[in-house]
Amino acid sequence: MKIGMVGVLSIAVTSACGTKSTTAWCVDRMAPPTGKTKGGYKVVPDAYCDTREIENGTVGYGRYFWYYGGRRDGSGYVRGGSYSAPNSHRIKSNSGHSLIRGGFGGHGRSGG
């Protein structure tokens, strides 16, 4: 198989830009902690959160907001993350949508 120089360059650029990503979890601030989940937030469908918050680098103060990083446990709660989006990583939602912020070009858009 023969790959041209432009093809090789585009693969290299794509690989370099997509190496690090952070998961953005849409969470419910009001969900009661249960059992081992004390201190965590209940993960809800992405549709409850506003992707403009990621694009603008703002934190939502309503019931639902984006929580970055951390780990989701078996009961659907996430812990160990941050309210602040990292500027140097690609952000993707829990459902797999690309919510780019930072990285190559440094500008974010929702991946619909």
Side-chain angles (χ1 to χ4, degrees):
M1 176 181 252
K2 193 173 186 179
I3 299 177
M5 198 61 171
V6 173
V8 171
L9 181 59
S10 68
I11 290 170
V13 169
T14 302
S15 297
C17 293
T19 55
K20 289 192 174 192
S21 68
T22 298
T23 301
W25 306 91
C26 182
V27 297
D28 181 352
R29 183 185 317 269
M30 306 295 193
T34 59
K36 297 179 189 176
T37 63
K38 290 184 178 176
Y41 292 104
K42 177 73 173 165
V43 176
V44 297
D46 292 346
Y48 287 100
C49 291
D50 186 350
T51 57
R52 290 176 294 189
E53 292 172 0
I54 293 173
E55 294 169 11
N56 298 328
T58 59
V59 177
Y61 293 100
R63 179 172 181 165
Y64 305 104
F65 66 98
W66 293 105
Y67 191 69
Y68 303 95
R71 297 185 68 89
R72 184 176 180 177
D73 66 18
S75 61
Y77 281 72
V78 65
R79 289 189 276 176
S82 172
Y83 298 102
S84 301
N87 287 325
S88 61
H89 293 87
R90 189 182 73 196
I91 298 170
K92 64 182 179 79
S93 70
N94 176 46
S95 62
H97 290 95
S98 181
L99 307 168
I100 299 169
R101 178 170 170 76
F104 207 74
H107 188 72
R109 287 282 174 227
S110 170

